[in-house]
Amino acid sequence: MSEREAPDRPVFTVEPWCVREPELRLDRLAQTEAVFALSNGHLGMRGNLDEGEPHGMPGTYLNSFYEQRPLPQAELAYGTPESGQTVINVTNGKVIRLLVDDEPFDVRYGRVHHHERVLDMRAGTLTRTVEWTSPTDRRVKITSVRMVSLPQRAVAAILYEVEPVGAAVRVVAQSELVANEALPDGQRDPRASATLEDPLVGEEHVANGTKVLLLHRTRKSGLRMAAGMAHHIDGPESMAVETESAPDVGRLTVATRLEPGQKLRIVKYIAYGWSSQRSRPALHDQVVGALAGARQTGWDGLLREQRAYLDDFWCGADIEVEGDAEIQQAVRFALFHVLQAGARAERRMIPAKGLTGPGYDGHTFWDTEMFVLPVLTYTHPDAAADALAWRHMTLPLALERAAQLGLRGAAFPWRTIRGHECSGYWPAGTAAFHVNAAIADAVVRYVDATRDERFEREIGLEILVHTARLWRSLGHHDVGGVFRIDGVTGPDEYSAVVDNNVYTNLMARRNLEAAADTAMRHPDLADRLGVDSEEAASWRDAAAAMVVPYDDRLGVHPQSENFTNHARWDFAATKPDHYPLLLNYPYFDLYRKQVVKQADLVLALHACGDAFTIDQKTRDFEYYEGLTVRDSSLSAQTQAVVAAEVGHLELAHDYLGETALVDLHDLNRNTRDGLHIASMAGAWSGIVAGFGGMRAGDGRLRFAPRLPGGISHVSFRLRYRGNRLKVSVTAEEARYELLDGPGLKLWHHDEPVTLADEPVELPIPPLQPRPAPSQPPGREPAPRRIDPHARTL
C-alpha cells in the first residue's frame, strides 16, 4: 500500500458535523485516539477507551508541561543544544473501569454487539455507546460522553452510564486517576516522540468523599502538576462507594446491583493545574477550586457553556462546501482541531500536534505562525494574539541564542516547548532563521486584521525590532551594494545552508520594512528599544537591496542561488517505498540535487505574492511541481493555494483533499502520534485563500474566487477589522455579505467594493484553461473529481 492510499475500509462515516466510527477498529485504535482527542489548548486528552485498555497510546497532556532529556551528539559542535524537552503523558483522569458480575469489561473478550463513537463538532463532545455481553453471558449497555471544557480551561468531565439488557447484573465501576502509565516503545521514525519512563514523582495524594487529588513533580525539569477528580453518582439506593489513593493512583469504587430498567449514572469532573513556580499547596487549592466550579456548573451547565462557545466560533468561522462531502466534513474537523489547539493556550505555545499526541516531542515550530495563526487570526483572533504573546515572553531566550551565534537581535528556536532550542539537527536548529520571519509576519497579519494598537505597542514592536536586527546582522551588502543572506536553511529541508533562499529573503525584506514602519508609528517606544533613524534607515536600505535570484535561462526563480544548476533527482529510479526520502537516502545526496521535500519557492509565491507577476507565478509553480515530493504534510496546502491562483483548479482540489484528509485517512501513516495541526489548517487555507482567492494586508482585503468543477458552491465566514462577513461562491458569481460590524471596503478580482447593509453579488471572470503540470512519478495527489462516465473494471 502506498503512503497516500486511504485504508482499505473507511474508518469513519462521512457526515457534515460529526466524525462517526460505526464499529470499533482495533487495527486503527492509535489513529482514532488522535482523531477523537479533545482539547482546549491548555488540557488535551486522547480519545482512549474509557476502560483504558486496549490502547494504541495513552495520552493526557498539559500545554508546555515537559521533561528534560539529553540530546546525545556523535560529535560536539558549538551552538548545538545538549538537552531537549519532551512533552509527557500526565496523570490520566479518563479511566473508568467496569466489572459485570466480576468480569472486567474489555472489548477483546465476550461479545461486542454494538460499538460506536461520535465526535460532535458543534457540541464539543465525544460520545461512545456500547452493547456488550460478558464471557459469563451478562449483557449491558454502556454510554459515555466526554468533554474538555473550552470555557473552563482546567476542567474536563465525563458522563458514564451503565444499564442491564435483559437480566439483572451486579456492577462495579472504578473511576481512576493514574500517573506514570506504561507507554509503547519509541519508533525509528524521527517524527515520533522520545519515550520517557516514569517521569513523575509523587508529592501528595488525598482521598476524601468522592474526591481524589494527586500531586506530582517531574524528575528533571522540576515542574509541578496536580490532578483531581470529583463525582456525582445516581443509582439504586443500595450502592457501596469508597475512595482510596496512593502516589500514582487514586480510585473511587461504586458497587451496586442493577435490575432491568435501572441505571448507574456517574458524572466525573476532572481538573488539572501545573506550574514551574507555584507551591504544592497553591496547586492543590487551584485544582480543588476548579473542581468546585465545575460541580457548581453541573454536567448540563458544562454542556450548555460548551455549545455556546462553539456556536460563537462557528458564526465567524464556518465553511460550507457543496459537491465534495468528504471535504465538507474534513474542513470542519480541521477547524475544530485548530480551535482546540489554541483556544485556551493563553500565552503558551501551539504544538505541531496540538495536544493530541506526543509526536515531534510536543514541540512547536514555525508551522504555527505560518499556517495555523492565519486561520486563528481571521476566525478567533484572541487565540492568535495569545500565541504571539507567548513568543514575546520567550524573547529573552531568543536574544541569548542570537548572541550565542554571534548575531544581534533575536534568533527564535526552530523547535521548542519553553523557548529553548531543542533541535540537535544543526542545519535547522542553527540555520533555519526563517522562523523569525514567520513570527514577524504573523505579528503584521494580526495587527492588520484587528487594528489592535495596544498589542502592537506592547508586543508587536519589540518582536519586529529584534527580528529585524537579526536580519541586518545576518546579511550583508556585497561589493555591488546588494543585500545578501548567505548560509541559511529555508522551508525545504531537502536543501540546507544555502545562499539567498528566495522565501527567506522575501520574508526578511517584509520583516525589515514592517519594523521600520512600526518604529515610525511609535517613536517613543522605538526610542526605548534603542532604535534611531539611522538603524531604521539601514533596515530600509537592506530591504530595498535584497537579492532575489532569478534564472534567466529557465525563466524561473531558483529556490536558492544556484539551485537550478543542481542535478535533478532521479525520480524514475526511486522506489515507491523509499518515500519519505530522508528515511532512505543520505542528506548529503538530497542537499545537492533538485528535489523538494515541501513547498519553499512556491510558499514564497503565496506568502509574498506581490513580489511576483502572475506569469512568474505560473512558470515557477509548474517548474516546482516536477520536483516536489511532499514528504512533509505542510506542502499540499501551499500547492493547493497557488495552483488555484494560477488556474489549475482541479489540481488545487486534489491538493486540498490531501491536506484536509491527512488524518481522517491517515495518509502519512503517522496519525497515531498526533494530528497534523498545520496541515489541517491548510484545509481552511485551501478553500479561503485558494478557491476564495483571499489576500489581506495594509488594510486591503482582496478576493479572487474561482471553483473547480467538482465543487458547486463554497461559502466561508471570517472576521476582519471588527467585521464578520460571509463570502459565497459559485461557478458564475460571488456574493459578499456583512453579517455584523461597521462595514468595509474590499476587492473582488481587483474591483473595489464597499460592503455595508446590503449583500453584493458580482460575476466571476472567465479563466483561460492551462495544461496541468506533472509531478514526480508516484507522487501525484489522489484525484478528487471522478469522471462519472469512466468505466470501472
Side-chain angles (χ1 to χ4, degrees):
M1 181 180 290
S2 69
E3 186 175 332
R4 289 186 172 82
E5 287 179 322
D8 295 337
R9 184 160 48 99
V11 178
F12 311 108
T13 60
V14 178
E15 302 178 45
W17 279 106
C18 71
V19 178
R20 185 186 309 273
E21 179 195 43
E23 61 176 320
L24 184 62
R25 292 278 301 273
L26 293 180
D27 63 322
R28 289 286 173 179
L29 200 53
Q31 175 199 0
T32 57
E33 289 166 353
V35 167
F36 289 142
L38 295 174
S39 170
N40 59 17
H42 168 68
L43 163 66
M45 292 180 163
R46 281 174 67 87
N48 304 111
L49 302 179
D50 302 284
E51 57 275 16
E53 298 176 15
H55 60 247
M57 182 183 300
T60 303
Y61 309 104
L62 293 171
N63 193 336
S64 300
F65 191 84
Y66 70 94
E67 181 61 301
Q68 291 178 339
R69 65 180 179 88
L71 283 178
Q73 306 291 333
E75 296 183 11
L76 293 179
Y78 179 80
T80 302
E82 297 179 4
S83 65
Q85 300 164 352
T86 296
V87 67
I88 61 173
N89 176 34
V90 300
T91 305
N92 182 2
K94 303 186 292 289
V95 177
I96 302 178
R97 304 188 195 275
L98 178 68
L99 287 85
V100 178
D101 280 4
D102 299 326
E103 285 284 348
F105 167 51
D106 188 318
V107 295
R108 295 167 294 187
Y109 303 97
R111 284 174 289 162
V112 176
H113 304 280
H114 167 78
H115 193 289
E116 181 179 83
R117 289 187 288 176
V118 180
L119 176 66
D120 188 324
M121 295 178 285
R122 285 182 291 190
T125 56
L126 175 64
T127 299
R128 180 191 185 199
T129 55
V130 188
E131 280 202 27
W132 177 77
T133 296
S134 72
T136 56
D137 209 31
R138 294 293 187 265
R139 185 163 176 167
V140 292
K141 179 181 178 181
I142 304 160
T143 303
S144 71
V145 184
R146 183 185 301 172
M147 67 178 302
V148 171
S149 176
L150 289 160
Q152 300 188 36
R153 70 191 292 257
V155 170
I158 301 170
L159 171 67
Y160 192 86
E161 295 179 328
V162 185
E163 53 188 305
V165 178
V169 296
R170 286 182 296 109
V171 298
V172 176
Q174 297 173 311
S175 174
E176 297 185 350
L177 293 174
V178 184
N180 288 320
E181 294 175 290
L183 297 174
D185 292 336
Q187 303 173 19
R188 174 174 171 262
D189 189 335
R191 295 168 296 184
S193 68
T195 299
L196 300 176
E197 294 183 3
D198 297 335
L200 297 173
V201 178
E203 290 192 319
E204 180 183 355
H205 57 92
V206 179
N208 181 16
T210 68
K211 293 183 288 188
V212 176
L213 188 71
L214 301 182
L215 282 93
H216 290 83
R217 60 175 172 81
T218 55
R219 294 182 185 276
K220 296 180 181 179
S221 61
L223 306 183
R224 177 177 281 122
M225 65 152 294
M229 63 179 182
H231 303 80
H232 181 85
I233 306 167
D234 289 318
E237 291 185 7
S238 58
M239 288 191 299
V241 180
E242 61 182 42
T243 54
E244 58 185 314
S245 67
D248 282 353
V249 65
R251 183 181 297 111
L252 174 138
T253 302
V254 182
T256 190
R257 177 181 174 85
L258 295 176
E259 300 291 338
Q262 291 185 318
K263 183 184 296 186
L264 175 63
R265 184 178 190 266
I266 301 173
V267 177
K268 179 177 185 177
Y269 303 100
I270 315 157
Y272 290 85
W274 79 268
S275 177
S276 59
Q277 298 179 338
R278 301 179 68 209
S279 67
R280 180 170 57 82
L283 276 177
H284 178 125
D285 293 348
Q286 177 187 343
V287 169
V288 169
L291 286 173
R295 295 185 71 182
Q296 188 277 328
T297 305
W299 172 255
D300 291 339
L302 288 171
L303 287 180
R304 286 193 297 271
E305 286 183 349
Q306 190 87 333
R307 180 61 184 250
Y309 189 103
L310 284 164
D311 282 348
D312 180 67
F313 171 72
W314 290 118
C315 280
D318 189 29
I319 292 178
E320 298 172 274
V321 179
E322 294 180 10
D324 192 328
E326 281 190 325
I327 294 295
Q328 174 65 89
Q329 178 187 48
V331 70
R332 284 182 174 142
F333 174 74
L335 280 166
F336 178 74
H337 272 291
V338 168
L339 173 69
Q340 286 200 130
R344 303 301 306 276
E346 296 178 4
R347 304 205 171 196
R348 291 192 180 127
M349 62 161 187
I350 297 178
K353 298 289 187 180
L355 298 176
T356 68
Y360 298 117
D361 287 326
H363 293 164
T364 191
F365 297 76
W366 69 291
D367 316 3
T368 293
E369 285 79 15
M370 195 67 232
F371 302 111
V372 178
L373 291 198
V375 182
L376 292 174
T377 295
Y378 299 114
T379 62
H380 197 308
D382 288 348
D386 278 336
L388 291 169
W390 169 76
R391 284 291 192 183
H392 183 257
M393 290 171 62
T394 69
L395 189 55
L397 292 172
L399 293 168
E400 288 180 15
R401 178 65 171 166
Q404 182 186 29
L405 299 176
L407 300 168
R408 294 191 66 214
F412 284 99
W414 170 247
R415 59 186 300 171
T416 189
I417 291 180
R418 294 290 296 277
H420 307 84
E421 180 58 69
C422 292
S423 175
Y425 174 61
W426 74 266
T430 305
F433 293 103
H434 65 87
V435 63
N436 269 31
I439 295 167
D441 192 54
V443 166
V444 172
R445 182 187 304 108
Y446 171 79
V447 172
D448 174 72
T450 63
R451 290 189 289 195
D452 187 342
E453 184 177 348
R454 180 178 177 182
F455 173 92
E456 185 176 63
R457 288 179 60 84
E458 294 181 358
I459 293 173
L461 176 61
E462 192 169 11
I463 290 177
L464 292 173
V465 164
H466 288 300
T467 50
R469 283 173 173 163
L470 184 283
W471 297 119
R472 189 63 188 84
S473 173
L474 182 65
H476 70 283
H477 289 279
D478 70 7
V479 293
V482 298
F483 191 78
R484 302 176 56 87
I485 302 178
D486 296 331
V488 299
T489 300
D492 172 33
E493 294 160 28
Y494 287 171
S495 298
V497 196
V498 299
D499 295 341
N500 295 307
N501 172 258
V502 170
Y503 169 83
T504 301
N505 283 20
L506 289 175
M507 292 289 284
R509 182 167 76 183
R510 178 180 293 178
N511 190 165
L512 290 160
E513 292 170 342
D517 292 344
T518 307
M520 182 179 293
R521 283 197 298 274
H522 306 288
D524 56 329
L525 296 179
D527 184 63
R528 291 181 203 170
L529 294 171
V531 179
D532 56 24
S533 58
E534 183 177 346
E535 183 176 24
S538 75
W539 297 341
R540 294 190 190 278
D541 289 344
M546 188 70 68
V547 170
V548 181
Y550 187 76
D551 187 331
D552 292 307
R553 174 177 53 90
L554 295 175
V556 299
H557 290 84
Q559 184 170 283
S560 57
E561 214 164 59
N562 290 317
F563 178 82
T564 48
N565 292 328
H566 294 172
R568 292 174 72 99
W569 185 266
D570 190 351
F571 298 105
T574 304
K575 298 177 181 178
D577 61 357
H578 278 198
Y579 292 97
L581 298 179
L582 79 161
L583 300 182
N584 295 283
Y585 297 93
Y587 267 118
F588 90 91
D589 204 19
L590 295 169
Y591 290 164
R592 64 196 189 97
K593 299 286 179 60
Q594 288 191 65
V595 57
V596 179
K597 179 182 180 184
Q598 64 199 68
D600 187 313
L601 189 284
V602 174
L603 181 58
L605 303 181
H606 175 203
C608 305
D610 292 345
F612 304 88
T613 68
I614 189 62
D615 288 340
Q616 288 174 335
K617 289 180 182 180
T618 301
R619 290 181 64 85
D620 284 346
F621 175 78
E622 293 177 354
Y623 183 83
Y624 284 94
E625 274 297 280
L627 302 176
T628 305
V629 295
R630 302 192 317 288
D631 281 350
S632 165
S633 63
L634 298 178
S635 194
Q637 61 177 294
T638 300
Q639 290 170 278
V641 171
V642 180
E645 182 177 7
V646 301
H648 297 300
L649 295 172
E650 306 305 325
L651 181 59
H653 191 185
D654 297 344
Y655 281 133
L656 171 63
E658 185 170 300
T659 193
L661 295 167
V662 63
D663 290 312
L664 286 175
H665 286 182
D666 197 9
L667 296 180
N668 290 345
R669 295 293 182 264
N670 60 0
T671 297
R672 60 170 286 122
D673 298 320
L675 302 180
H676 300 75
I677 301 299
S679 180
M680 290 196 300
W684 181 93
S685 300
I687 291 176
V688 176
F691 298 142
M694 176 190 157
R695 304 290 187 272
D698 299 325
R700 291 167 55 92
L701 185 61
R702 297 168 288 158
F703 299 93
R706 284 194 174 94
L707 296 183
I711 295 179
S712 58
H713 175 266
V714 161
S715 70
F716 53 86
R717 299 169 181 234
L718 54 87
R719 303 176 189 271
Y720 187 77
R721 297 198 164 193
N723 298 283
R724 186 167 58 92
L725 60 149
K726 180 179 180 180
V727 179
S728 302
V729 184
T730 66
E732 294 80 24
E733 68 176 17
R735 186 176 193 265
Y736 301 95
E737 181 180 0
L738 182 67
L739 301 177
D740 57 57
L744 74 163
K745 185 177 181 179
L746 55 83
W747 280 258
H748 168 83
H749 285 282
D750 296 326
E751 177 184 346
V753 178
T754 299
L755 193 60
D757 297 330
E758 297 297 322
V760 177
E761 296 180 354
L762 296 167
I764 293 175
L767 177 69
Q768 186 68 31
R770 292 182 56 83
S774 59
Q775 295 76 36
R779 307 309 287 170
E780 305 87 353
R784 296 301 306 164
R785 191 180 184 190
I786 307 300
D787 184 352
H789 303 293
R791 295 179 61 187
T792 302
L793 298 179

